[in-house]
Amino acid sequence: MPPTDCIFCRIARGEIPAMKVLDDDACLAFLDIAPLAEGHVLLIPKAHAQTLDQLSADQAAAMLRHLPALVKAVQAATGCAGVNVLQNNGKAAHQEVPHVHFHVIPRNPGDAFGFNWPAGKYPAGRAEQLVQAIQDELSR
Ligand code: 5GP
Ligand code: ZN
């Protein structure tokens, strides 16, 4: 999708209004229009990238340096008991807006949001194979 049509690029360019909580050269944070909880914020890079792997390390760093303060501010402002930082890449991972974004979601005991977390177990030797494969990719 070209950035001209991208909803978050349009928000970054000021063509669509958003309830901004943070705005600098590299990134923007604003209230999610359909919050999972009050204070649900999205942190986005101003540069268009569909998924996290398409961002440069510098672009990611310029955005993510704000994440600890943002989490702290959302927690203090909402009085929530905990926070999930969620980042979806690709349709299979529930990404609906194809522009990188981090969800900062206030959580409280007994709230309606939840995960299906089907924790598994590695068969003998598989973890070692995966470590090797991931390290090989990282060293490319
Ligand atoms: P995803 O499923 O892609 O990780 O989440 C996209 C999020 O963007 C959703 O939580 C949705 O509510 C939010 N969203 C979609 N369009 C807009 C918009 O125009 N403005 C704002 N503020 N949030 C949006
Ligand atoms: Zn975009």
Side-chain angles (χ1 to χ4, degrees), residues 1-10 12-13 44-50 97-100:
M1 179 189 288
T4 43
D5 297 334
C6 170
I7 190 117
F8 286 175
C9 282
R10 298 192 68 195
R13 287 196 298 268
I44 69 166
K46 284 191 172 169
H48 181 81
Q50 195 160 331
V97 175
H99 179 127
V100 175

